[in-house]
Amino acid sequence: MTYLRTWPNGTPEAAPVLLCLPQAGASALQFQDWQRRLGSRAMVCAVQLPGREDRWGEPAPSGIAEVVGAVVAELADAGLLGRPLVVFGDSLGGLIAYEVARAVGPSALVVCVCRAPVHWARQGGLREDDVERLASASVAGSDLPPELAAELRDIAAEVLRRDAALSATFREVPGAEPLRCPVYAWGALADETVTPAQLDDWRAVTTGPLHRHDFDGGHRVSREDPGALLGRLSHVLADLAEEEPS
């Protein structure tokens, strides 16, 4: 099964590609609505990791390097590396997005509620308390019967533990060449997981500019209230279009 998911809607071939990597435990499906909202401004292309939705029965990848290699190969096979490319990653997706950006040299890297790579290296990936908290948050506030909510929470925890193991494979490369593109590091004011200082440290990964912004909301801001985030992404895409030669 392939990693990339798209929802063709007549987007012009010259439009930028927005490659999206979801939070731990999440899937590519959330980005289908982003394609509808963004319309012709971008071709949304999302990454579906094994172990969820249509890839439920597939074995976990050996590490982030395997995921990045597969995603880059599929982008190349689809002819998408010759187009303006914005790589977006949400939380753990931001860490993988950074590794993809190192491999392909995109027009821009956008990370949301994701601590800078140096902090992932120090922490060693998602911890069990992160898994438990995120699994509980996935069903918080639902109107589901308690038994069903508990079952769905357990499923979420299973997927999150797979993603935690994946995050633990990240290693900083000493002396790695920095990115040259702009990096947008976005946080959420009520996020109890990622601090402003951990977002500020994205400054170290690029020779290009770092753009910081904090949204209202918490760690799940991209799913609970994506409107403001998509507004910011629209500006990134518009700036990119203006920079492209006519």
Side-chain angles (χ1 to χ4, degrees):
M1 183 73 71
T2 58
Y3 275 82
L4 300 186
R5 301 289 181 273
T6 59
W7 301 273
N9 67 341
T11 305
E13 290 188 5
V17 175
L18 177 62
L19 177 68
C20 299
L21 294 104
Q23 285 195 8
S27 71
L29 187 60
Q30 76 176 90
F31 300 111
Q32 183 175 11
D33 185 57
W34 287 26
Q35 180 67 84
R36 181 186 64 79
R37 293 193 185 198
L38 290 171
S40 62
R41 283 168 285 184
M43 172 186 175
V44 176
C45 184
V47 172
Q48 184 81 301
L49 293 173
R52 64 216 73 207
E53 290 181 352
D54 57 342
R55 303 193 71 184
W56 177 258
E58 294 185 44
S62 61
I64 290 176
E66 178 183 330
V67 174
V68 171
V71 168
V72 172
E74 289 184 29
L75 287 170
D77 289 345
L80 299 180
L81 293 181
R83 293 167 61 170
L85 174 65
V86 174
V87 183
F88 169 85
D90 193 6
S91 193
L92 170 61
L95 181 65
I96 304 174
Y98 165 65
E99 292 289 79
V100 172
R102 288 183 58 228
V104 303
S107 303
L109 170 65
V110 184
V111 294
C112 184
V113 295
C114 178
R115 62 181 67 91
V118 63
H119 297 285
W120 285 97
R122 290 172 184 169
Q123 179 178 303
L126 292 173
R127 301 177 296 244
E128 180 61 23
D129 60 334
D130 295 321
V131 169
E132 292 296 323
R133 177 178 46 77
L134 292 170
S136 295
S138 70
V139 296
S142 72
D143 296 326
L144 297 171
E147 298 82 2
L148 180 56
E151 181 180 349
L152 291 177
R153 185 203 176 281
D154 289 345
I155 292 172
E158 179 182 345
V159 177
L160 283 160
R161 288 190 180 94
R162 291 165 62 109
D163 288 350
L166 180 65
S167 71
T169 68
F170 174 73
R171 298 291 184 273
E172 280 196 296
V173 179
E177 184 175 348
L179 301 174
R180 299 181 182 180
C181 64
V183 173
Y184 299 79
W186 297 340
L189 294 173
D191 186 5
E192 299 178 354
T193 303
V194 182
T195 69
Q198 290 171 334
L199 288 160
D200 292 342
D201 284 341
W202 279 99
R203 165 72 272 175
V205 309
T206 185
T207 59
L210 174 69
H211 303 282
R212 280 278 289 108
H213 178 75
D214 293 315
F215 297 101
D216 292 329
H219 193 71
R220 292 165 56 89
V221 64
S222 70
R223 283 176 281 176
E224 294 175 349
D225 186 19
L229 191 148
L230 286 171
R232 285 265 166 180
L233 270 176
S234 294
H235 287 302
V236 173
L237 294 164
D239 291 344
L240 181 59
E242 290 178 3
E243 294 172 2
E244 290 301 310
S246 58

